[in-house]
Amino acid sequence: MQPPRDFSDGHLLNDEEIARIAKLEDLIIITKDLDFFDNYLIKGSPPKVLLLQFGNIGNQQLLSLFDANLEKIHILLNGGAEMILFSRDRIAEYSGN
């Protein structure tokens, strides 16, 4: 596991730059930004993306959902999933676009 990276202007990075860094460093993008899903549908997804679809959710509830589903997400990512949609009631994977 790589140590966390600190991007001092991380909040200013555009989606293309985030995707470029993720692809270059073999990282997974975890986001609520639907633009990454739209880009996947149009162009495919070079980096792996975990798209969170929870709306307004408290940190404890979000952490509980991650704890309950982490193994499944890990299996999907290692099995070739490029895009995973993660919500309260389902996990959907997209691969081989």
Side-chain angles (χ1 to χ4, degrees):
M1 179 187 242
Q2 297 176 340
R5 293 270 316 267
D6 181 27
F7 296 99
S8 58
D9 292 331
H11 64 286
L12 300 176
L13 294 175
N14 63 40
D15 292 352
E16 289 84 24
E17 184 67 8
I18 293 169
R20 186 191 70 73
I21 293 167
K23 183 177 179 182
L24 181 69
E25 299 188 19
D26 195 28
L27 301 172
I28 299 165
I29 298 169
I30 302 174
T31 184
K32 292 173 77 176
D33 186 348
L34 284 173
D35 290 345
F36 284 97
F37 183 68
D38 295 340
N39 190 50
Y40 173 80
L41 293 175
I42 295 167
K43 300 178 185 176
S45 179
K48 295 181 179 192
V49 177
L50 177 60
L51 181 63
L52 307 179
Q53 298 185 301
F54 295 104
N56 193 10
I57 188 170
N59 289 342
Q60 274 310 120
Q61 189 177 11
L62 180 61
L63 289 173
S64 292
L65 287 165
F66 262 103
D67 283 343
N69 293 284
L70 192 57
E71 184 176 347
K72 181 174 184 177
I73 292 168
H74 186 262
I75 290 168
L76 291 173
L77 289 168
N78 285 332
E82 297 169 343
M83 168 72 66
I84 297 175
L85 307 181
F86 182 25
S87 67
R88 294 173 203 265
D89 58 348
R90 73 181 186 121
I91 297 174
E93 71 165 306
Y94 295 81
S95 58
N97 190 7

